[in-house]
Amino acid sequence: MGEYRKLWWTLIAVLTVTFAILGVSGVEVYRKAPPIPTQVVTSTGQVLMTHDDIMAGQAAWQSTGGMQLGSVWGHGAYQAPDWTADWLHRELLAWLDLAAQQAHGKTFDTLDVAQKAGLTHQLKEEYRHNSYDAATGAVTVSERRARAIALTASHYDQLYGNDPALRQMRDHYAMKEATLPSAEKRQKLANFFFWTAWAASTERPGTVATYTNNWPPEPLIGNQPTAENILWSLACVVILIAGVGTLIWGWAFLRRHDDTPLVAAARDPLTLATLTPSQRALGKYLFVVAALFTFQVFIGGFTAHYTIEGQSFYGIDVSQWFPYALTRTWHIQSAVLWIATAFLAAGLFLAPVIHGGDPRHQKLGVDILFWALILVVAGSFIGNYLAIAQVLPSGLGFWLGHQGYEYLDLGRLWQIALFGGLLFWLALMLRCMLPALRKPGGDKSLLALLTVSTVAIGLFYGSGLFYGERTHITIMEYWRWWVVHLWVEGIFEVFATAAIAFIFASMGLVSKRIATAASLASASLFMVGGVPGTFHHLYFSGTTTPILAVGAAFSALEVVPLIVLGYEAWEHWSLRDRAPWMRPLRWPLMCFVAVAFWNMLGAGVFGFMINTPVALFYLQGLNTTAVHAHAALFGVYGFLALGFTLLVLRYIRPEITFSEGLMRTGFWGLNAGLVLMIFTSLLPVGLFQFQASVTTGMWYARSAEFLQQDFLETLRWIRTFGDVVFIVGAIAVAWQVVILGLFRTGSQTHLDHARANRQPTVR
């Protein structure tokens, strides 16, 4: 550890404490998950559904795309309703009408204020009462509620089928006709939706809050923020201010500086060594990055249009072949795959630099990994199509088709294959890193951090395998966010920081001492809030108040390290003037600067906007979540992946020169398109939904009645301008990478390439 001993021990302590919190809290998640009853029975003993019926309904929901068609407990797509909130409100209205007819011979809407108040009080008492019997595992409901459940289930049977009476509603929800053709599966689906609504309306024993901490907002039964929710929201703000103040103080007074500025080398040190066969083989990885990126952008624009014409694309009915649930799945899945591929390529480029050349058969390993990646992409996309088309048998849908969970949509077999590919990538990396670590002498701390983060990338994706098709959804959410939040927002962040620092140190642009100290400090900052902060995604997913408290307290700290990223980006950008050979690296550096900006805005501002418990209580599942998702996923990890792609391209094709016109169009088009997309459409729609959620309820904010208003449809049309600008930017970048970078041909180019490998030319 040497001079970095304190920083290493700080990082080790942070990881030990934060993962202990994550693990101990995980035990709480398992122990206190909302019970799935063995039976739901009426007061006369009639069995309405069983545990197996509910779990079969969960599997049926997954087979339709799950979180890619509406949402459950606020997690999923934003076009169709949140099914929990929608079912709950419909069942409550049905109960009130039945009660009004029984007590007064009228519909509920025709009663006077006093009569309505009396029945509403009875409604709240019945629905919030917990009738679960821990001894038998049964839930007992009244005869009236059983009839309300049946009426609500009938609506969903018609909606997920092809009843002509609900065709317009399906269009508003972007659902294809006969979304779930099997009547038996539709019945099971209704059972699952009922159970999610039961957990959202039934008070947890010993508390005055429901199993979902009173989410969704539903005035009819008093679902409103709890006192703990408000207290921990205030604590979030206090912790954020304290954290920012502490960071600024430490950054100003404790950060190490270079005593003497480095003198840049006359030539780029990374080009002085001959390109290895494995590095030359990375061109096909960059092609996949560009291809998947382009596909993601176009399918994203196609999917966005479904929010206007739910079953058509400019009048052409395409929903029977490419429904919203499928195209949104492909949009998200392709994003994860191209970003991950860019990170893998960056690692494989660095491996020979670290090792001093290729180990034996390294190129063969790189080629095998590439074709394994192609198999996973093709297999998962085809499986998604077959699952949502309801072609795959029930037993195979989860394994070969669609898991139904956002960001982990690919079938379990393809997920296992992807994990195997990551482990193979890890082996390729370690066979280069470990010998370098074992060499005597030299400062190995930065390499050690890079190695640890590489191991974490390879292993942590496996946490997504700890649940199955019929795992309790609360427990599934716990493990899903290990991947979506911890693996992506934590581990990848540390890997990127260490990799960029290693590259700049290898170039001689920053001292290894400063690069190492900054990387270790940044890793501690990222992980101290990022690991327990995982729980801010689980406030309302069937967890208890302690989980809410942990998530709220630590998620506030996630914003803290973003404060200094702007300064770091400026330091990176200032390196462009260190030497003439840095000029061709201008556009990768610009991407890293964009990462800092979007980290501050997308992850910081928009993230904190929805992270406090009281804010998320009303905002979860609205377009404000999409604002954060777009700005953080593409703005941060997308630009980071593009920066890595351009950087690797610059070295494996040393003869090319980036086109200033194309790169300017691409870079600013992507940034401007993202800004327009957010500020002219997603954010305004989300804010209007927020008002509806607060004043009326979550069911209304996500309803067709609300979202199909003319002014909101106009806002969604306006998004087209941002989409077009973004698409132009994406095409420009892809053209630079593929046409002018990878596929450039000509005898002079080959001659330049051969010369560059022997004696690099400064351009």
Side-chain angles (χ1 to χ4, degrees):
M1 294 183 182
E3 63 175 311
Y4 313 109
R5 185 178 301 274
K6 290 182 179 179
L7 290 171
W8 272 112
W9 280 115
T10 298
L11 179 58
I12 291 169
V14 164
L15 292 175
T16 301
V17 171
T18 54
F19 275 100
I21 293 171
L22 191 64
V24 170
S25 300
V27 174
E28 173 84 354
V29 170
Y30 270 79
R31 289 178 57 247
K32 297 297 180 68
I36 300 175
T38 55
Q39 291 182 328
V40 177
V41 299
T42 66
S43 52
T44 59
Q46 179 188 358
V47 177
L48 301 181
M49 66 191 76
T50 66
H51 177 280
D52 289 343
D53 292 333
I54 294 169
M55 298 313 295
Q58 178 176 306
W61 166 70
Q62 291 166 318
S63 75
T64 64
M67 290 179 177
Q68 302 295 358
L69 181 63
S71 59
V72 166
W73 289 348
H75 292 301
Y78 314 111
Q79 180 62 14
D82 179 87
W83 302 118
T84 302
D86 187 69
W87 175 289
L88 178 59
H89 190 72
R90 289 180 184 278
E91 187 187 326
L92 296 177
L93 292 183
W95 188 98
L96 287 171
D97 268 337
L98 290 170
Q101 289 288 353
Q102 184 177 352
H104 306 287
K106 301 178 183 178
T107 62
F108 181 75
D109 287 340
T110 61
L111 301 181
D112 60 36
V113 174
Q115 291 170 331
K116 286 182 177 180
L119 290 181
T120 302
H121 176 74
Q122 293 179 38
L123 176 80
K124 181 178 178 180
E125 290 292 313
E126 178 169 339
Y127 273 77
R128 294 188 72 89
H129 171 68
N130 193 333
S131 62
Y132 175 72
D133 185 340
T136 63
V139 166
T140 303
V141 299
S142 67
E143 295 294 329
R144 182 185 296 161
R145 185 169 185 180
R147 290 175 61 195
I149 292 169
L151 289 171
T152 309
S154 175
H155 166 78
Y156 281 92
D157 179 68
Q158 295 172 303
L159 179 65
Y160 273 80
N162 56 6
D163 191 311
L166 295 185
R167 168 117 194 213
Q168 186 178 37
M169 181 174 286
R170 283 190 291 274
D171 182 73
H172 291 334
Y173 291 169
M175 297 173 66
K176 67 174 184 175
E177 297 299 304
T179 299
L180 196 55
S182 167
E184 180 183 0
K185 287 185 177 180
R186 293 198 297 270
Q187 179 185 7
K188 306 297 186 187
L189 176 78
N191 294 334
F192 173 64
F193 286 166
F194 159 77
W195 174 78
T196 67
W198 174 84
S201 59
T202 302
E203 290 183 356
R204 187 183 292 273
T207 74
V208 293
T210 69
Y211 284 105
T212 57
N213 284 313
N214 280 0
W215 195 92
E218 177 52 77
L220 286 175
I221 55 170
N223 269 14
Q224 58 191 15
T226 62
E228 293 86 355
N229 182 310
I230 296 171
L231 288 173
W232 282 106
S233 297
L234 293 173
C236 267
V237 177
V238 174
I239 292 170
L240 173 64
I241 295 172
V244 170
T246 302
L247 177 66
I248 292 175
W249 184 87
W251 199 255
F253 297 107
L254 302 179
R255 189 169 63 97
R256 296 185 178 189
H257 298 269
D258 282 312
D259 296 327
T260 56
L262 292 176
V263 178
R267 291 177 178 169
D268 184 347
L270 290 183
T271 63
L272 296 179
T274 301
L275 278 173
T276 68
S278 73
Q279 287 175 319
R280 291 195 192 98
L282 293 176
K284 51 184 173 287
Y285 282 77
L286 304 190
F287 174 79
V288 168
V289 169
L292 284 174
F293 173 46
T294 305
F295 173 77
Q296 187 228 344
V297 170
F298 275 96
I299 203 71
F302 183 88
T303 304
H305 190 77
Y306 270 136
T307 67
I308 301 167
E309 293 183 86
Q311 295 181 334
S312 303
F313 187 74
Y314 292 99
I316 303 172
D317 186 357
V318 291
S319 64
Q320 295 307 302
W321 298 279
F322 301 101
Y324 174 88
L326 176 66
T327 60
R328 191 176 189 271
T329 296
W330 283 350
H331 175 61
I332 292 177
Q333 194 165 293
S334 56
V336 172
L337 289 171
W338 77 259
I339 291 171
T341 302
F343 274 76
L344 298 186
L348 292 172
F349 174 78
L350 282 178
V353 176
I354 295 167
H355 188 263
D358 276 347
R360 190 179 181 187
H361 303 310
Q362 182 78 356
K363 180 184 181 298
L364 176 62
V366 169
D367 290 339
I368 291 173
L369 179 61
F370 173 78
W371 291 111
L373 174 65
I374 295 300
L375 177 65
V376 169
V377 172
S380 62
F381 276 41
I382 293 170
N384 294 154
Y385 182 91
L386 295 176
I388 292 178
Q390 299 294 308
V391 172
L392 293 175
S394 297
L396 295 179
F398 180 84
W399 284 91
L400 296 178
H402 203 300
Q403 292 190 43
Y405 297 126
E406 199 175 25
Y407 293 101
L408 292 174
D409 306 279
L410 70 174
R412 176 52 58 87
L413 178 65
W414 309 115
Q415 185 185 12
I416 293 172
L418 180 56
F419 181 51
L422 288 170
L423 293 180
F424 188 69
W425 172 79
L426 176 59
L428 293 176
M429 295 293 294
L430 289 181
R431 68 201 302 258
C432 293
M433 290 174 154
L434 293 181
L437 284 171
R438 287 195 293 263
K439 287 180 181 179
D443 182 355
K444 302 292 196 311
S445 281
L446 183 56
L447 177 57
L449 179 62
L450 182 60
T451 303
V452 170
S453 63
T454 300
V455 171
I457 284 180
L459 296 181
F460 268 77
Y461 183 76
S463 56
L465 301 174
F466 289 164
Y467 63 85
E469 181 179 16
R470 298 199 175 195
T471 297
H472 193 297
I473 191 171
T474 298
I475 295 169
M476 179 285 305
E477 283 283 53
Y478 172 71
W479 291 113
R480 183 172 78 94
W481 288 110
W482 269 63
V483 178
V484 181
H485 176 91
L486 186 55
W487 185 62
V488 174
E489 297 184 33
I491 306 302
F492 269 83
E493 193 93 49
V494 175
F495 174 83
T497 300
I500 292 173
F502 186 88
I503 291 170
F504 287 160
S506 299
M507 289 178 173
L509 298 172
V510 295
S511 73
K512 184 172 287 189
R513 184 174 67 88
I514 296 303
T516 303
S519 297
L520 286 168
S522 297
S524 295
L525 287 171
F526 290 142
M527 303 310 281
V528 72
V531 177
T534 302
F535 286 121
H536 79 254
H537 298 285
L538 275 74
Y539 291 156
F540 313 117
S541 296
T543 57
T544 56
T545 298
I547 300 299
L548 182 147
V550 170
F554 283 94
S555 66
L557 293 175
E558 288 186 79
V559 182
V560 172
L562 306 182
I563 303 299
V564 299
L565 285 180
Y567 179 80
E568 290 294 305
W570 175 253
E571 287 199 331
H572 291 162
W573 177 238
S574 67
L575 298 177
R576 75 194 189 282
D577 298 323
R578 287 285 183 91
W581 52 263
M582 280 294 295
R583 284 195 292 271
L585 298 178
R586 177 189 176 210
W587 290 108
L589 289 177
M590 286 289 284
C591 288
F592 298 147
V593 172
V595 168
F597 171 78
W598 287 107
N599 236 327
M600 178 275 296
L601 182 62
V605 176
F606 293 145
F608 193 75
M609 177 180 73
I610 64 173
N611 267 8
T612 59
V614 71
L616 196 59
F617 182 82
Y618 293 107
L619 292 171
Q620 180 157 291
L622 305 184
N623 275 268
T624 44
T625 307
V627 169
H628 169 57
H630 282 78
L633 182 59
F634 178 78
V636 178
Y637 295 98
F639 271 116
L640 194 55
L642 290 179
F644 280 144
T645 299
L646 295 173
L647 197 64
V648 173
L649 177 65
R650 175 71 189 95
Y651 287 109
I652 68 171
R653 295 291 189 271
E655 71 278 5
I656 73 161
T657 301
F658 289 127
S659 165
E660 282 296 308
L662 269 181
M663 290 309 304
R664 191 178 297 111
T665 300
F667 179 81
W668 293 113
L670 291 173
N671 279 283
L674 191 55
V675 167
L676 288 171
M677 195 186 307
I678 289 170
F679 286 100
T680 66
S681 183
L682 288 175
L683 184 58
V685 171
L687 293 178
F688 281 117
Q689 285 183 295
F690 170 60
Q691 182 186 33
S693 177
V694 173
T695 57
T696 307
M698 178 58 63
W699 68 270
Y700 181 61
R702 290 284 298 275
S703 68
E705 178 186 358
F706 178 79
L707 287 174
Q708 296 305 316
Q709 295 178 83
D710 290 343
F711 79 98
L712 289 177
E713 186 169 326
T714 299
L715 286 174
R716 294 198 295 276
W717 269 113
I718 290 173
R719 175 178 169 171
T720 305
F721 294 105
D723 287 351
V724 169
V725 173
F726 193 90
I727 289 170
V728 170
I731 292 173
V733 171
W735 190 273
Q736 170 67 73
V737 172
V738 177
I739 305 301
L740 300 186
L742 299 175
F743 290 169
R744 184 181 177 188
T745 59
S747 58
Q748 184 61 43
T749 296
H750 292 299
L751 179 61
D752 289 345
H753 184 61
R755 289 173 177 169
N757 283 333
R758 294 195 304 272
Q759 184 63 49
T761 301
V762 178
R763 294 178 181 268

